[in-house]
Amino acid sequence: MSSIPKLEPGLRLEFPFSVTPEMMADFGRMAGDFHPVHTDDDHAQRRGFLGRIVYGGILVSQVSRLIGMELPLSHCVWTRVTTDFVEPLYVNEQALMDAEIEAISEAVQALVLKFRILAADRLIARGKAEVSFAHE
Amino acid sequence: MNNEIASKLTDIFRDVLDDESIILQSSTTASDIDGWDSLAHIRLVLTVEQAYSVKFSAKEVSAMKNVGEFVGLIESKLA
């Protein structure tokens, strides 16, 4: 039986993900953003990309997954996220969410996560998230 | 009020609340500073704990009535 990891600074959390064409279409409809850099490979290539690039909002959605599904907490909400989008991620490209608890305060029941999104040897995005939590 | 801690705490308040005009006095409370709400308070405590490598208890944090007591609490942790 796997044990629940202890919530403490240095705790690493990671998971792989990729963004499919269906996810792109769903997000485009949800956000109302149909900019061709996200929807048209030819347009994106004319702008110097290898193909259409993943919405930044989808990358941020993986921070939501990180907090909601990977943190060993039952009751938590994020209160801030900051993200630098360093390089583009492409549709169907394999990526990795790599995160670490940077600080935790039991006094105010809050923690800081720093995260990186990587694809092969490229840094796609980096940032920090603040999370408020409550114990059972 | 310990001036060195008060000065560093002022820098933290200005950074967290994004307001360079903040001037802290011993008697300053949350009602005196725009933006010092419950969420900002959490962020202030987190930042101070990181900056000084100290840990507070929930009881200590909830008992703080003003900036002077915040400075005093930090000072007690560093002693």
Side-chain angles (χ1 to χ4, degrees), chain A residues 13 59-68 71 73 76-84 97-105 109-116 126-133, chain B residues 39 42-43 46 50:
Chain A
L13 305 163
L59 299 181
V60 174
S61 77
Q62 297 303 305
V63 181
S64 182
R65 172 181 169 186
L66 171 71
I67 294 166
L71 265 181
L73 286 165
C76 61
V77 291
W78 56 352
T79 54
R80 172 182 275 191
V81 63
T82 57
T83 310
D84 296 328
M97 171 65 80
D98 177 25
E100 179 178 340
I101 294 179
E102 181 181 82
I104 183 166
S105 173
Q109 297 198 324
L111 61 85
V112 179
L113 274 171
K114 62 179 180 181
F115 64 85
R116 300 182 304 163
R126 64 176 169 239
K128 288 190 179 183
E130 294 176 7
V131 179
S132 285
F133 62 86
Chain B
L39 189 58
I42 289 171
R43 194 163 292 138
L46 260 171
Q50 282 184 277

Side-chain angles (χ1 to χ4, degrees), chain A residues 13-30:
Chain A
L13 305 163
E14 65 175 39
F15 58 85
F17 70 96
S18 61
V19 178
T20 65
E22 293 76 20
M23 292 163 71
M24 290 289 286
D26 287 346
F27 186 86
R29 280 191 295 275
M30 183 182 74

